[in-house]
Amino acid sequence: MAAPFQRVLVLDFETKWDSKEYTLSKMTTEEYIRDARFGAWGCCFKWLGDPGKARWVGASHLPEYLARIDWSTTALLAQNTMFDGAILNWRYGVKPCFYFDTLSMGRAVRGVERGNSLAKMAEDYGLPAKGRAVHSTDGMLDTLTHEIERELAEYCKHDVFLCEEIFKRLVMLERGECGQDYPLADMSAWKYPIKELRLIDMTLRMFVEPKIELDADMLTDALHEEKETREALLNRLNITDGILASTPQFAELLRSIGVEPPTKKSPATGLPIPALAKNDALFQAMLNGEDENLALLCEARLKVKSTTERTRAQRFLDISARGSLPVPLSYYGALSGRWTAARGSAINMQNLKRGSFLRKALLAPWGYEFGVVDLSQIEPRTLAWTSDYEDLLNIFRAKGDPYATFGETMFNLPGMNKETHPVHRQSAKSGMLGAGYQLGWASFAAQLLVGFLGAPPVRYGKEFAKQLGIDRSYIERFLDYTPNVLAMGEIPHSCTGQELFVHCVVAHKIIALYRAAAYPVVGLWKRYEQLIPSALADGEEAWVKCFLFRKEEIVLPNGMSLLYPNLRQEKDDEGKKQWVYGTNATKLYPGKVCNNTNQALARIVMTDGLLRIDKRYPVVGSVHDEGIEMIPEREADEGLKWCIEQMTIEPKYLPGIPLAADGGWHKRYGLAKN
């Protein structure tokens, strides 16, 4: 592949800061760079591959120096390009033709938990240690002495040297290998996958070249309405928000009305602690119970404690006064390679609730519409393909509803669908998504009580048990297995013991039904169980479809890897041996391997589609399996259709997989798929 650039410029800005109030430790990157106090002391530049040291350019000469560079043929390389690239664009109007970032590459090559700061990577690669400027510029917001600027320049030059040397090692993708000469004109000679480099570039453009506008009026109205609703509720109850926000005070409030606060076992100490958090089953039971006064108190506590929505709305409103919305996503933020919210960004764009005013407040600029395309049920499809689950693949090929089909079998309800039996279908969906990754029945039962995967809380009753064909013999077998009884006793609940028992037996049956029907998936778990010791631990290479298992890693079809460093066996609390990896001794078992590989595969399918779309329409954001594109309004219908086609092209590494996607377009992001 011919590179979309002719030269790569390595650079690093040194900027003004004040540890008391104007610092990145107390501000987001967007706030810091757009602040009126912002200023660059200077910047170091070096052309990638050229001999010699970097060149320091002071603040007064920066605009002239940057203007002499042909950015249409120049790529940018930095350690934290989200920061340096934003300075270039927002402060100097510079847009390089391509963005590289060693921080992003480090997360992917070295692992998300290893630490990928410039200092840490320099140490791990045996490079000279990252320097320290002798004189701190803390609090110096006006001028620097010649001596301090000279020291700052030397410090900055060394950072540029380290960034270039680390990039060489990362782009070669071989531990310790560093080719001194490598072709810039032909990226296919590099060992870092080209698609992934393009994905880093696309991710950074979402932030450094923001295009999404914000509706300040809608945000202001929503904040005012939320405040009025919350204050009215507090006045009605005649209590303060401090009482509701404090767990001890809220517990005392419950006792004052004759309700004993529910408790749960502390995972740290094993002692009872209040179960008054949003996701506690016992709190959910009070919130959704028949006691209206108690439910009202719980609702008020949630309104006071759940500050995420209004805090984010206020941040959006503040950003709207400064400019467009930069979308802060971390490339390879998770083990699977999926995006996560950028650290310190304070606005997680990955969990904007569907239907919320926050989504509706996001506007496409004049002359454009948001095109929103979502891969349909991508993880069940990739899991079915990997496990050769032909029955499920055929349902997808026939454009059927796998959750409803599974529900027909589970509940003996022929012809059921999302409209006629929404609760039954949701139960079938929960069973498929949970059991597909080897989730045990007890965990499944506990999660249902607080809401599985964001769904409303569910407690199964006798009617469900009857529909599943649970009889006395099944109940006796459940009770005869002592671990079942012990596991049931560990589940937090507010219902009676008999109600919990029925719920647990039903959850057990759902998991059993899935495993019986999805025997190919069970077979995949067994294969992974063999490969953990033989391949991941001992290094005996083996293929499972498009995955290559080898010592401490699973190579993915895009050339990247799932990493399991220092894989070893340790004893758990009961003295049983288990596989763990990493410094935090993260547990590894067949269901976890299945989850990791399947999420990684689904992510690759999605990002491959987004990269195709980005060649025609800029991708300005992504939420899970959904891409957000900017389409000219005059071609919105045709453009959306084309985007859906790009997302559903059959990948060469997944021959025969049936893909599907849906989408919509609108000026407001939150209305694009309604």
Side-chain angles (χ1 to χ4, degrees), residues 447-578:
Q447 290 184 39
L448 285 167
L449 291 174
V450 298
F452 189 82
L453 295 178
V458 170
R459 177 172 58 79
Y460 294 124
K462 292 182 179 179
E463 186 63 28
F464 264 70
K466 187 181 298 183
Q467 291 174 350
L468 286 175
I470 295 174
D471 55 18
R472 181 176 296 278
S473 64
Y474 190 91
I475 294 173
E476 289 175 350
R477 290 195 300 273
F478 178 87
L479 291 173
D480 284 344
Y481 188 55
T482 303
N484 285 345
V485 180
L486 296 175
M488 186 167 57
E490 295 291 320
I491 298 175
H493 62 283
S494 60
C495 53
T496 66
Q498 179 63 25
E499 289 171 334
L500 176 66
F501 170 66
V502 173
H503 174 73
C504 288
V505 173
V506 172
H508 184 277
K509 179 70 171 182
I510 290 174
I511 297 296
L513 281 171
Y514 175 83
R515 295 185 178 185
Y519 58 89
V521 177
V522 176
L524 184 64
W525 298 341
K526 293 178 179 177
R527 178 63 173 142
Y528 288 158
E529 186 174 24
Q530 298 168 346
L531 291 177
I532 291 176
S534 66
L536 296 180
D538 293 342
E540 182 181 328
E541 292 192 357
W543 285 90
V544 175
K545 300 301 280 284
C546 57
F547 303 115
L548 172 60
F549 283 66
R550 59 190 187 193
K551 189 169 180 62
E552 297 187 346
E553 68 175 330
I554 301 172
V555 183
L556 304 170
N558 63 347
M560 306 305 287
S561 294
L562 296 170
L563 303 176
Y564 303 101
N566 191 24
L567 183 65
R568 61 201 182 275
Q569 279 193 311
E570 292 183 357
K571 291 184 178 180
D572 62 15
D573 295 339
E574 298 178 358
K576 298 179 181 178
K577 286 186 176 181
Q578 61 179 0

Side-chain angles (χ1 to χ4, degrees), residues 93 156 186 206 274 316 339 365 376 435 525 531 604:
C156 189
D186 184 8
M206 295 177 191
F316 278 6
W339 282 300
S376 303
W525 298 341
L531 291 177
I604 296 168

Side-chain angles (χ1 to χ4, degrees), residues 74-90:
T74 300
L76 168 66
L77 167 61
Q79 160 64 12
N80 182 4
T81 308
M82 186 175 285
F83 178 74
D84 294 286
I87 293 174
L88 275 179
N89 186 16
W90 304 352

Side-chain angles (χ1 to χ4, degrees), residues 195 385 546 557 608 612 649-657 659:
K195 283 184 178 180
W385 183 89
C546 57
D608 278 359
R612 287 190 290 268
I649 291 174
E650 180 183 298
K652 293 181 180 178
Y653 47 86
L654 297 175
I657 189 171
L659 297 178

